[in-house]
Amino acid sequence: MAPALLFGQRAWAQAKAALPTAGPAWSQLSTPQREALAPLAGQWATIPPENKRKWLEIADRYPQLSPEGKARLQARMAEFAKLTPEQRRTARENFQRAYELPRESRESAVQQYQLLPDDKKKELTERSQRKDAAKSAQKQ
Amino acid sequence: MNQDEFGFRVRQALNDGAERLDYRTVLRLEQARGKALALQRRAGPATVRLPALQLATAGAAPVDGGGPWSWLRGAGWAAPLVALAIGFVAISQWQEELEIKRLAALDFAVLLDDGPLDAYADQLFGVLLQAEQKADD
């Protein structure tokens, strides 16, 4: 039964990927949705349909925020939407990891990161990537 | 003698035969009928069992005989497949909906946080966080 379920789900995913759906157009959004997602207006047409659904979920939560919360959310919205899917995935992982640490350790990591010069960041990233590649090669 | 006349004669002969039955035979037949009816009344209404998806079309052509409902014979095995396909679609949609809600909740929290977005999006920051975690342990 499990392989049949897996096959069915894969077939459904493939069928869905083949459908030419782009999600709702900016003009189809309600006024509160357009107000909440205003920083995304220019790039809305290029956002994949699943991401649009996620942003509409966020727009539903927007009215509950304080004026400061609304301003912060909108200030970071466009920057976040411009990240690659891989960067967004990393951002979510790092955010969760950061909140597993005490506040002081979290702030220390942010400070260390911000103090690192760009070329040093690049070097450390490459070194970390090489280490990860070696680890995954050992596992195989 | 044509066919209709022959049929009429046969029916007449049978009726004559029934009328000439011995009174004891008639009595026994009557008693047997009475017993059978009493038994049926005690047993309550009879339950008729039909195979799944076969219509109870009293008086109509039998389902197996290729009548107007014969296409339903195919539905007997197709129905579970259709139900399975509907199930797949429903489960996939439900899982997708849950994933979208989970991502929306997480992104909402990241967007409201005061931590730098460029750091969060960088794998190097993850390495620094791991180092902090090891130092704390």
Side-chain angles (χ1 to χ4, degrees):
Chain A
M1 192 65 184
L5 269 170
L6 205 65
F7 174 77
Q9 285 180 337
R10 228 179 263 166
W12 168 245
Q14 282 170 358
K16 257 187 59 189
L19 290 173
T21 51
W26 182 255
S27 58
Q28 289 174 307
L29 303 190
S30 67
T31 308
Q33 285 173 331
R34 280 205 295 263
E35 190 196 326
L37 304 175
L40 303 180
Q43 59 192 105
W44 185 256
T46 63
I47 295 176
E50 287 81 11
N51 283 3
K52 282 183 180 176
R53 283 168 65 190
K54 184 205 70 187
W55 283 116
L56 291 173
E57 284 279 335
I58 290 172
D60 286 345
R61 296 162 188 239
Y62 180 79
Q64 303 154 11
L65 295 174
S66 64
E68 294 78 28
K70 285 179 180 174
R72 184 181 293 169
L73 188 95
Q74 289 197 325
R76 290 158 70 98
M77 203 178 264
E79 190 187 349
F80 192 78
K82 276 180 194 155
L83 296 176
T84 64
E86 177 63 27
Q87 284 175 319
R88 277 199 293 270
R89 197 179 57 78
T90 305
R92 290 173 193 128
E93 280 174 8
N94 283 343
F95 172 78
Q96 285 174 300
R97 196 175 284 164
Y99 275 85
E100 284 166 10
L101 293 174
R103 188 186 178 89
E104 299 76 38
S105 307
R106 194 165 64 233
E107 285 174 353
S108 163
V110 170
Q111 207 174 8
Q112 285 177 55
Y113 180 83
Q114 287 176 329
L115 287 174
L116 277 173
D118 283 348
D119 55 340
K120 187 75 180 166
K121 277 181 191 168
K122 198 178 166 192
E123 185 197 317
L124 287 172
T125 304
E126 282 170 359
R127 197 189 293 172
S128 162
Q129 282 170 346
R130 276 199 301 272
K131 214 187 268 181
D132 287 346
K135 266 186 197 170
S136 59
Q138 271 179 348
K139 278 181 190 170
Q140 282 171 1
Chain B
M1 192 184 291
N2 65 26
Q3 232 177 350
D4 285 346
E5 197 184 351
F6 175 72
F8 175 73
R9 289 283 164 85
V10 170
R11 199 182 68 188
Q12 209 171 26
L14 286 170
N15 285 345
D16 287 348
E19 277 165 17
R20 278 202 295 270
L21 278 175
D22 184 321
Y23 80 93
R24 276 173 298 205
T25 309
V26 172
L27 187 67
R28 273 164 56 200
L29 280 172
E30 188 56 39
Q31 282 172 343
R33 181 176 174 273
K35 273 183 193 170
L37 285 173
L39 273 173
Q40 193 190 19
R41 269 195 292 272
R42 253 181 280 157
T47 305
V48 179
R49 290 184 189 280
L50 287 172
L53 288 171
Q54 186 172 326
L55 291 186
T57 49
V63 171
D64 286 343
W69 300 102
S70 61
W71 60 272
L72 272 176
R73 280 162 60 199
W77 60 264
L81 289 182
V82 171
L84 202 63
I86 292 170
F88 284 144
V89 172
I91 290 170
S92 296
Q93 282 186 330
W94 177 67
Q95 281 180 339
E96 195 180 285
E97 197 60 39
L98 281 185
E99 180 61 9
I100 286 171
K101 281 189 190 298
R102 188 188 72 83
L103 288 182
L106 198 49
D107 288 1
F108 188 71
V110 173
L111 290 169
L112 284 175
D113 191 63
D114 49 8
L117 260 186
D118 61 335
Y120 281 145
D122 194 337
Q123 287 182 345
L124 179 62
F125 183 61
V127 176
L128 294 173
L129 287 170
Q130 273 177 343
E132 283 294 329
Q133 200 165 19
K134 276 180 191 163
D136 284 349
D137 292 343

